[in-house]
Amino acid sequence: MLSREEYIQISLENNLFWTRIMKEHAIFIESVLTPPLKEVSMQADEFKRIFEELLANTMELANETISMEALQSGEFYTRFTDEAERLTQQFTGIEIDRNLTYTVNIMEPSTIGMEMTEEKEKEVSWLNQNIISQLTDFLQFKANLLSGQASCNAKSLEYTSILEHVLEEGRKYMEILTTLQDREMPADEHLVSSQEEFFWNMIMSDHAKIMRGKFDPVEIHFFNEANRFAKIYDTLTSLTWENDEVEEPLINVHDVTSDFRDFKAFTTQGIIECKVSSVMMPLFTDHILREANHYLRLMTK
Ligand SMILES: [Fe+2]
Ligand SMILES: [Fe+2]
């Protein structure tokens, strides 16, 4: 059973990370839909707006409430996020509320001895419930899009496996929220089981493969580097799932993820400065960079 303090803090830290991730999924989906899917595109834009609002609500409650470690982890924003948003808005024509990034930048952590009131617990509970309701619709939307494309009834300009990937991330967020609403500790928080590690290593593996498939073919160095990470995470997922009994794996997950995080940062900078050619939006590489930072923080908790 979570204490009131734990419930409030863990809820708000997760919401601060995940509502931004969800609104960006909506942006990425909207940016790859072709003209016949205009109606779907409008729905994606509406989900972007909804999750921007939920992020704004979260920020109001999270200021002076969440931990310093979370605020400094680089999972809510990075040094690239503002510029990545500006460019992605320019390239896609999709409006992005950049004030949210400015505001998260100036948020303050909780102070020692700060009281978490019953009133605040109620507000957080209401927020979580509201997110669960919107997320249920967004998961259905993602699942419809995925099944339409997987059965070749519809086609976006995105890989089917990426549609599956964003659906899986949404499901993970739902699992965290429902556990929190039962006042239990989400398994994800301390990566308590091999399933949690497996999930995040699969996510990293997907990122590596997505990057590998989205660099311009002339970017041989970047392609090879992404491929190297894909192979490492494939090895790690076979270690953490199929073979639970394996003792210390030879690969250090933290070190690899830290290197992969640096590669994502280097790529984001290269795309922003027009030094790396790819079909990835700068906000996309910044997004997966933040997901790596999130995983790194979970590993060190
Ligand atoms: Fe994501
Ligand atoms: Fe991801």
Side-chain angles (χ1 to χ4, degrees):
M1 186 86 178
L2 292 176
S3 69
R4 181 188 293 159
E5 282 72 21
E6 286 173 322
Y7 170 71
I8 292 175
Q9 202 166 57
I10 295 169
S11 294
L12 293 173
E13 287 174 0
N14 271 285
N15 291 340
L16 202 55
F17 170 71
W18 287 106
T19 52
R20 181 176 280 269
I21 292 297
M22 292 303 117
K23 76 122 166 168
E24 288 171 351
H25 286 171
I27 292 168
F28 302 147
I29 289 171
E30 185 179 352
S31 72
V32 295
L33 297 174
T34 54
L37 295 167
K38 180 126 190 65
E39 213 167 290
V40 186
S41 169
M42 281 160 64
Q43 287 170 4
D45 200 75
E46 181 59 12
F47 280 117
K48 172 204 72 180
R49 197 198 57 73
I50 288 168
F51 280 99
E52 278 183 341
E53 205 176 303
L54 292 167
L55 173 56
N57 297 342
T58 300
M59 284 198 297
E60 254 174 62
L61 289 168
N63 195 31
E64 297 182 352
T65 304
I66 61 169
S67 66
M68 178 70 102
E69 294 75 50
L71 261 187
Q72 293 182 338
S73 64
E75 66 186 80
F76 308 130
Y77 65 92
T78 71
R79 64 185 190 276
F80 308 115
T81 311
D82 182 53
E83 183 61 0
E85 284 183 336
R86 189 187 71 78
L87 287 171
T88 302
Q89 180 168 278
Q90 180 190 320
F91 296 149
T92 62
I94 298 169
E95 249 181 70
I96 299 173
D97 184 353
R98 292 173 56 211
N99 268 328
L100 295 171
T101 301
Y102 171 75
T103 314
V104 77
N105 246 297
I106 55 168
M107 279 178 63
E108 296 287 339
S110 68
T111 47
I112 297 165
M114 205 190 129
E115 205 199 336
M116 305 269 188
T117 61
E118 200 181 331
E119 183 59 28
K120 184 129 185 168
E121 183 181 4
K122 275 187 198 150
E123 286 178 315
V124 170
S125 174
W126 184 85
L127 173 71
N128 287 359
Q129 220 43 57
N130 197 4
I131 297 173
I132 286 176
S133 147
Q134 301 295 350
L135 187 57
T136 305
D137 293 347
F138 194 33
L139 286 179
Q140 191 57 55
F141 171 82
K142 284 174 170 178
N144 290 346
L145 200 65
L146 172 63
S147 72
Q149 181 153 316
S151 61
C152 297
N153 285 316
K155 197 159 187 65
S156 72
L157 300 175
E158 192 52 278
Y159 295 128
T160 307
S161 56
I162 297 184
L163 299 180
E164 205 171 335
H165 177 93
V166 297
L167 177 60
E168 285 306 319
E169 287 181 354
R171 283 180 176 149
K172 168 58 75 182
Y173 184 24
M174 181 63 96
E175 180 191 305
I176 291 168
L177 282 169
T178 49
T179 310
L180 282 167
Q181 289 308 75
D182 289 339
R183 302 297 193 272
E184 297 294 337
M185 182 68 82
D188 212 47
E189 268 311 293
H190 299 285
L191 300 172
V192 290
S193 66
S194 56
Q195 278 100 320
E196 308 311 317
E197 244 186 87
F198 174 80
F199 171 83
W200 284 105
N201 286 337
M202 272 305 288
I203 291 294
M204 294 301 122
S205 161
D206 284 353
H207 291 171
K209 290 168 190 169
I210 291 164
M211 291 177 91
R212 182 180 66 188
K214 291 200 162 206
F215 284 115
D216 188 301
V218 299
E219 300 285 5
I220 295 164
H221 167 72
F222 283 87
F223 175 94
N224 286 338
E225 198 56 2
N227 193 37
R228 187 174 72 80
F229 283 114
K231 284 183 185 164
I232 295 173
Y233 282 106
D234 275 352
T235 310
L236 279 169
T237 47
S238 63
L239 283 175
T240 50
W241 187 253
E242 289 164 15
N243 207 348
D244 240 0
E245 298 304 310
V246 167
E247 294 189 357
E248 266 308 285
L250 291 172
I251 307 165
N252 181 306
V253 192
H254 188 278
D255 289 353
V256 166
T257 305
S258 179
D259 287 349
F260 191 30
R261 182 257 319 269
D262 293 345
F263 176 62
K264 287 168 170 176
F266 187 60
T267 301
T268 306
Q269 184 161 8
I271 291 174
I272 286 175
E273 292 174 354
C274 194
K275 289 178 180 159
V276 181
S277 183
S278 81
V279 289
M280 290 180 282
M281 287 292 157
L283 189 59
F284 175 76
T285 51
D286 185 61
H287 173 103
I288 59 175
L289 165 60
R290 275 177 272 124
E291 288 177 350
N293 282 334
H294 179 71
Y295 184 28
L296 284 166
R297 184 168 74 88
L298 294 180
M299 269 189 250
T300 49
K301 276 191 113 174

